[in-house]
Amino acid sequence: MAVLPDPAATRAVLIGTSRYAHLQQLPAVANNLSALVALLCAPHSWGLAPEHCTVVEDPATAVEVLDAVRTAAEEATDTLLVYFAGHGLVEPRRGELFLGLTGSLQHRSYTGLPYGTLRDVVLDGRTGRQVMLLDCCFSGRVLGFMSAPGTETVIDQVEVEGTYLLAAVPDTSFALAPPGEPYTAFTGELLRLLREGAPGGPELLDLDTVYARVYSALRAKGRPLPQKRDRNTAGGLALARNVAWTPRGFGPPPPPYGREPGPAPTPPYEPPLTPTPSVYEDETGPAPAPGALTALPPKPAWSPVSLPSTAPAPSPGGAPPGGRRALRYGLAGGLALALIAAGIPLVMSWVKDSGSSPDDSGQPRSTSSSTPKTGPTSGYDAATKDTVNASPKRGGTLKFVSSTTPDSWDPQRSYYGFVWNFSRYYARQLVTYASKAGKGGAELIPDLAEKRAEVTDGGKTYTYTLRDGITWQDGSKITSEDIKYGIERIWATDVVPGGPVYLQQVLDPDHTYKGPYKDTSEDKLGLRAIETPNDRTIVFRLPKPNGDFERMLAMPAGSPVKRAKDTKARYQDGPFSSGPYEFRSHRPGKSLELVRNAQWNRASDPIRAALPDRITVDIASDEQATARALFSGRYDLAMGFTGLTGEGLVKARKDSGLKARLDNPYNGILLYAALPRSVTPLDNVHCRKAVIYAADRENVRTAAGGPLSGDIAPHMLPPAVAGSDPSYDPYGTLKDDGKPNATEAKTKAKEELAACEKPNGFTTTIATRNRPGDVDIAMALSESLKRVGIRARVEQIDLANYAETMGSPATVKKKGYGIVVQRWGADFPTGQGFLQPIADGRLIQNSGNFNISELNDPTVDDLFDAAIAEEDPAKAGRDYARINQKISDSAAYLPLLFQRSTLWRGSRLTNVRTSEAWDGNYDYASLGVDG
């Protein structure tokens, strides 16, 4: 339980250096000090007496600071709080942090105050509870920034019981002093929280809650993220009162779980999830659970990574790995399916009760004009097998809620899978995916085109004829030129960055075209690889065949854009609609409302059901509050990466009524470990095989959240990818139920160790992201390897630096990372989309590398070339199956789990089915509402 320190027995020392003789000036620091002391002394916040809050501004010597801290440390008998803001200096040999004083010099750490000295003075005091807040970094060489090598070293020095350290940035990141803003980025968010409070939060803002809220707010703005370290119960110590707290019994009570929804609120808007506005309304992901974190809080299931402003170098065999959604999933944060620690045992028991058995006797027809096939109306996991609550009923408002802010509504800029799914309401493509449940949803069918492409010239020419009656929201005809122009925007990465660049890489691998905004042709349609002989014909000419080209066209990046309506970077605020709905209102980071496009011609669109009259999206910050709102019927479904997690999932699984509305589909993500060939002794195939035989995948699955998190993976190809064979089990993984406890598996591991001349085992390092779920997975893997003598130390790497670190083969080798925990998913479900980036030796790069195992087999590379050029998906699938076998033979990777999501469908939803084409999520374009 949070406790507010006794103001009379507590002391605070606020230190800040804003004026420097030799370094960049930091005027925001002075504002930090005055604002923070006012809030700490305010009666409604903490209520410290002014004489108990010492401010040391612009200190010239270390003695000024240390004397003030020592006096406070001797007086405080409850809690001592010490805050510093300003430049940081790092001693180059030992990496020790020095705090910048007014006369400090760059590269001369002795001119600053050693953090270790300050720490010793703090810890020598009378109180057993110390709070250290550090808003500092290395130097101000770039306007508005203070760099911070050494912050992680500072955090590691906190090893005293009752101490809580909150640092503004992790590792070598930059701390931001945003130009034009009154405060530094970290302290600014801290001040906002103390001033405005946390709606829906506890009465007292304990340090873990403060950390979680500030972290989420900074992440929402794309700013450097804080890091914390605490000992014992220090995280429960309150920093201030929550001014936004409402006592129980005041205001309307929250609806009970499982209540059927009442009448829909009057348009145009429902009230937001949190009634009191604050900066935290637009957080982009779930805040970490207070008291349950060891490092950084978990990010949303598939978190984004910024794409380069220019296209990556072309791949030898097709699309290169740059910008895949797996970055957003795994490097982008990886998939956060692990439950809170208290919930895992419950989930494990719930899986034994799988709910009612749905009727899975067939698939619904994909045309919107047909009467939906009769199917189940409820049942656990029913929507993964059939269409739940089939109905042709039109009308009503379909209400989405999301705890993740969409990356962009611009079809050419979006890279979030759930936005791709949603964008079909207002954006169409030449071809798209069928509205069918499960695997049927991965079938490509014509959309704006009358039929799929006529492929000629040995697979290098694709010709389409457009349908009659396809129109924009203003009633004008959609033409082949509109489609070409929309695709050409992909080349303008300096104006509309962020989306996939496959079409550019396949059509113009040398990047000779500069995009429509730099096009000197009169019609701004100068890309020669696309021809438009007339308004209804479009021809694509590829330099070399690529059997997945139509899947690339099916991405939102292949959507038409009307040139007269293109507002360039602002197009994401309200794309001009080619689909059944158009934008009525959009508040970025807050909400979105779509209404019917009166000019949409139902006869020209056999795919989209277009049942609701109106579609709304609310962006909320609190994932568990979102779950409660879903269960109460306030929203129909969640838009996002992960589905339900944490307390919401625990509640839904325990309640039989709620459980019947859960679905647990595959999401296309593979959890695995790369075994880099450059790291000894993993450079020996037998040592790698010993790791594979010894790995206890069932323990790993338990650490990841239990059976709901996924199925044990015996190989590297997820079920949705052509060429995946469920019976292929090269290491006998499934035979032993994922547990290598059987004598045979242990014996084989020992045999492989002997073959690599390590009969007694060896020592290596497991690299993982410093998130609780990922660390648990790495620890579970380490424990299982220990049983055969493989001693694997787990090293946690900051989430922000993980992709860069693992993408550098030289760094991986230097650090000795013999086992690297990863997640991976494809932008389109083929072997090219999934396997090539991580297994083609020609794609190994010095930086930004995805082939972390450094697998470099010419036979595998040749198979990729053959599969990519193959027009027949079945034949290509056979090649990818052979590649999968080659990967297994090489022991380059340790597959762990084919991952799953847990989704919630509201009771009003009709025509609910999951689709492998949309990462296992619900097929949004088919949904309707009843009531």
Side-chain angles (χ1 to χ4, degrees):
M1 180 177 179
V3 58
L4 190 67
D6 179 5
T10 294
R11 299 293 185 270
V13 182
L14 310 183
I15 310 154
T17 310
S18 62
R19 295 184 295 175
Y20 289 87
H22 309 289
L23 301 176
Q24 178 73 39
Q25 305 304 307
L26 297 173
V29 169
N31 298 333
N32 289 357
L33 294 177
S34 59
L36 191 56
V37 70
L39 280 171
L40 293 178
C41 296
H44 64 272
S45 179
W46 192 346
L48 285 180
E51 61 269 22
H52 294 165
C53 192
T54 303
V55 177
V56 182
E57 188 170 5
D58 295 328
T61 67
V63 174
E64 289 181 58
V65 177
L66 297 176
D67 278 350
V69 174
R70 179 170 293 280
T71 298
E74 292 174 348
E75 294 177 354
T77 56
D78 187 319
T79 300
L80 173 64
L81 182 149
V82 176
Y83 166 91
F84 174 81
H87 284 303
L89 306 171
V90 173
E91 199 285 324
R93 294 185 179 180
R94 298 183 300 277
E96 184 180 358
L97 179 71
F98 284 66
L99 308 183
L101 307 176
T102 55
S104 293
L105 292 167
Q106 181 68 278
H107 305 307
R108 298 183 187 180
S109 53
Y110 59 83
T111 60
L113 166 62
Y115 170 77
T117 303
L118 174 64
R119 178 200 60 190
D120 292 343
V121 173
V122 169
L123 299 181
D124 285 343
R126 301 166 61 192
T127 178
R129 297 195 298 201
Q130 301 90 13
V131 179
M132 303 284 288
L133 305 179
L134 298 178
D135 192 353
C136 65
C137 302
F138 177 54
S139 70
R141 291 174 289 183
V142 180
L143 180 63
F145 285 86
M146 302 177 291
S147 57
T151 305
E152 184 64 34
T153 303
V154 177
I155 293 173
D156 288 339
Q157 293 170 353
V158 181
E159 294 294 341
V160 180
E161 303 298 325
T163 300
Y164 195 103
L165 173 64
L166 184 53
V169 295
D171 201 19
T172 58
S173 301
F174 290 95
L176 184 64
E181 295 187 16
Y183 310 111
T184 59
F186 168 76
T187 300
E189 296 303 336
L190 175 64
L191 292 170
R192 292 192 193 195
L193 175 61
L194 298 182
R195 285 171 176 164
E196 301 176 17
E203 180 180 4
L204 299 177
L205 295 175
D206 61 85
L207 288 164
D208 277 337
T209 298
V210 168
Y211 167 63
R213 295 280 180 157
V214 171
Y215 181 99
S216 294
L218 289 168
R219 182 174 59 190
K221 297 179 178 180
R223 291 181 171 180
L225 301 176
Q227 196 164 8
K228 64 101 171 177
R229 179 67 57 83
D230 63 317
R231 307 292 292 175
N232 277 354
T233 59
L237 189 67
L239 187 60
R241 294 179 177 87
N242 182 4
V243 298
W245 178 68
T246 303
R248 292 184 179 275
F250 289 80
Y257 284 82
R259 176 182 293 177
E260 295 301 317
T266 303
Y269 287 107
E270 288 80 11
L273 268 180
T274 51
T276 305
S278 85
V279 66
Y280 302 100
E281 286 180 353
D282 59 358
E283 294 167 14
T284 60
L293 300 174
T294 57
L296 288 180
K299 281 195 173 184
W302 301 324
S303 65
V305 169
S306 299
L307 298 177
S309 59
T310 57
S315 140
R324 279 173 166 74
R325 268 188 286 170
L327 278 179
R328 299 178 301 142
Y329 308 157
L331 307 181
L335 184 65
L337 289 176
L339 302 180
I340 55 174
I344 290 176
L346 292 172
V347 173
M348 295 295 292
S349 64
W350 294 331
V351 173
K352 299 176 182 178
D353 178 16
S354 60
S356 60
S357 300
D359 174 12
D360 53 0
S361 58
Q363 301 287 359
R365 291 162 58 186
S366 62
T367 56
S368 61
S369 58
S370 63
T371 301
K373 181 182 180 294
T374 301
T377 58
S378 190
Y380 176 79
D381 216 25
T384 65
K385 305 175 181 68
D386 205 343
T387 300
V388 174
N389 202 16
S391 170
K393 182 177 179 180
R394 300 180 66 191
T397 298
L398 174 62
K399 295 178 286 186
F400 288 86
V401 64
S402 177
S403 58
T404 302
T405 300
D407 58 343
S408 178
W409 299 118
D410 184 333
Q412 274 76 38
R413 296 185 69 173
S414 169
Y415 220 128
Y416 284 8
F418 68 88
V419 177
W420 288 11
N421 192 356
F422 186 87
S423 70
R424 293 179 297 151
Y425 288 129
Y426 58 86
R428 299 177 64 180
Q429 298 82 41
L430 286 165
V431 292
T432 190
Y433 292 98
S435 292
K436 298 179 181 179
K439 290 185 178 298
E443 175 192 351
L444 277 176
I445 58 175
D447 185 357
L448 289 172
E450 288 185 335
K451 58 183 180 180
R452 289 185 59 182
E454 177 186 354
V455 184
T456 57
D457 191 23
K460 293 192 292 184
T461 301
Y462 287 70
T463 303
Y464 295 93
T465 300
L466 304 189
R467 295 180 188 271
D468 282 326
I470 52 176
T471 61
W472 291 106
Q473 70 181 62
D474 62 359
S476 60
K477 181 171 65 173
I478 297 173
T479 67
S480 57
E481 290 85 356
D482 295 330
I483 296 173
K484 180 179 182 181
Y485 181 81
I487 293 173
E488 286 181 335
R489 294 177 81 241
I490 299 169
W491 275 251
T493 54
D494 57 334
V495 180
V496 288
V501 292
Y502 293 105
L503 290 171
Q504 181 272 319
Q505 293 158 350
V506 172
L507 291 169
D508 181 23
D510 296 328
H511 204 190
T512 57
Y513 183 60
K514 302 305 179 184
Y517 309 135
K518 297 179 181 179
D519 196 331
T520 57
S521 63
E522 184 177 349
D523 59 2
K524 305 300 181 185
L525 296 172
L527 179 62
R528 295 181 180 180
I530 306 178
E531 300 172 3
T532 53
N534 55 59
D535 283 354
R536 292 190 59 205
T537 304
I538 187 166
V539 182
F540 298 88
R541 300 195 185 277
L542 283 60
K544 58 184 178 180
N546 194 308
D548 290 330
F549 180 66
E550 285 201 284
R551 295 191 181 274
M552 300 172 191
L553 286 174
M555 296 176 177
S559 303
V561 172
K562 190 170 184 176
R563 184 157 66 98
K565 298 295 183 179
D566 182 11
T567 54
K568 299 182 180 180
R570 293 182 54 205
Y571 193 67
Q572 62 187 347
D573 294 335
F576 203 60
S577 177
S578 58
Y581 297 91
E582 61 184 69
F583 279 56
R584 169 176 283 181
S585 63
H586 176 213
R587 295 189 298 162
K590 302 287 185 180
S591 64
L592 171 68
E593 180 188 17
L594 302 182
V595 295
R596 287 194 182 279
N597 171 10
Q599 300 299 324
W600 174 71
N601 184 351
R602 180 176 293 275
S604 76
D605 190 345
I607 299 153
R608 295 159 183 80
L611 296 178
D613 290 332
R614 178 171 164 265
I615 300 169
T616 62
V617 180
D618 281 346
I619 310 298
S621 60
D622 188 327
E623 195 170 62
Q624 301 315 317
T626 297
R628 291 192 292 272
L630 286 168
F631 298 159
S632 72
R634 187 167 176 180
Y635 297 98
D636 298 305
L637 74 165
M639 175 194 295
F641 296 124
T642 56
L644 292 178
T645 61
E647 296 175 5
L649 180 56
V650 171
K651 177 67 177 178
R653 291 292 293 168
K654 290 177 67 176
D655 186 307
S656 60
L658 299 178
K659 179 181 171 183
R661 299 182 197 166
L662 293 181
D663 294 295
N664 191 214
Y666 289 114
N667 55 36
I669 301 298
L670 174 70
L671 172 67
Y672 67 95
L675 309 177
R677 293 184 171 200
S678 62
V679 179
T680 57
L682 281 306
D683 53 352
N684 187 304
V685 66
H686 296 290
C687 283
R688 298 196 298 271
K689 287 185 176 181
V691 170
I692 296 174
Y693 277 119
D696 189 330
R697 291 166 175 83
E698 183 56 44
N699 277 358
V700 168
R701 180 163 71 165
T702 299
L708 289 176
S709 66
D711 295 350
I712 292 170
H715 56 77
M716 291 291 289
L717 267 184
V721 178
S724 179
D725 180 358
S727 66
Y728 180 56
D729 188 10
Y731 291 90
T733 302
L734 299 180
K735 179 176 63 177
D736 296 325
D737 297 323
K739 298 187 73 64
N741 296 326
T743 303
E744 181 181 358
K746 280 189 173 181
T747 300
K748 288 184 175 179
K750 288 291 188 180
E751 289 174 352
E752 296 294 344
L753 286 172
C756 76
E757 301 181 354
K758 299 287 184 181
N760 298 319
F762 56 85
T763 300
T764 191
T765 299
I766 300 177
T768 187
R769 300 167 185 83
N770 63 344
R771 303 185 316 162
D774 284 9
V775 173
D776 291 343
I777 288 168
M779 293 299 296
L781 179 58
S782 175
E783 286 298 315
S784 63
L785 298 180
K786 188 187 302 182
R787 296 168 189 158
V788 298
I790 300 173
R791 298 165 298 281
R793 180 181 68 89
V794 175
E795 182 169 329
Q796 302 179 39
I797 299 171
D798 180 70
L799 186 66
N801 300 324
Y802 196 76
E804 179 182 359
T805 302
M806 296 309 131
S808 169
T811 301
V812 169
K813 180 179 181 179
K814 179 180 178 181
K815 296 287 189 180
Y817 297 144
I819 303 173
V820 179
V821 177
Q822 290 283 96
R823 290 182 176 87
W824 188 255
D827 290 337
F828 46 90
T830 71
Q832 178 183 185
F834 190 87
L835 281 181
Q836 190 185 24
I838 61 176
D840 191 324
R842 297 164 296 185
L843 301 184
I844 298 173
Q845 303 178 58
N846 293 330
S847 62
N849 180 49
F850 300 145
N851 186 349
I852 296 173
S853 72
E854 298 175 57
L855 175 61
N856 192 0
D857 184 342
T859 303
V860 170
D861 300 345
D862 291 343
L863 285 169
F864 274 122
D865 289 345
I868 289 169
E870 179 57 61
E871 294 181 41
D872 185 341
K875 292 181 180 178
R878 289 193 286 271
D879 285 333
Y880 291 128
R882 291 175 61 196
I883 293 172
N884 192 28
Q885 293 169 5
K886 289 285 186 181
I887 293 173
S888 296
D889 293 343
S890 73
Y893 291 102
L894 164 61
L896 295 169
L897 295 178
F898 296 138
Q899 298 212 273
R900 294 178 177 269
S901 300
T902 304
L903 309 178
W904 164 265
R905 48 184 144 84
S907 61
R908 297 194 319 143
L909 287 178
T910 62
N911 303 321
V912 192
R913 50 177 170 260
T914 64
S915 173
E916 291 188 356
W918 308 112
D919 310 318
N921 217 315
Y922 296 130
D923 176 8
Y924 293 166
S926 297
L927 294 174
V929 289
D930 186 6

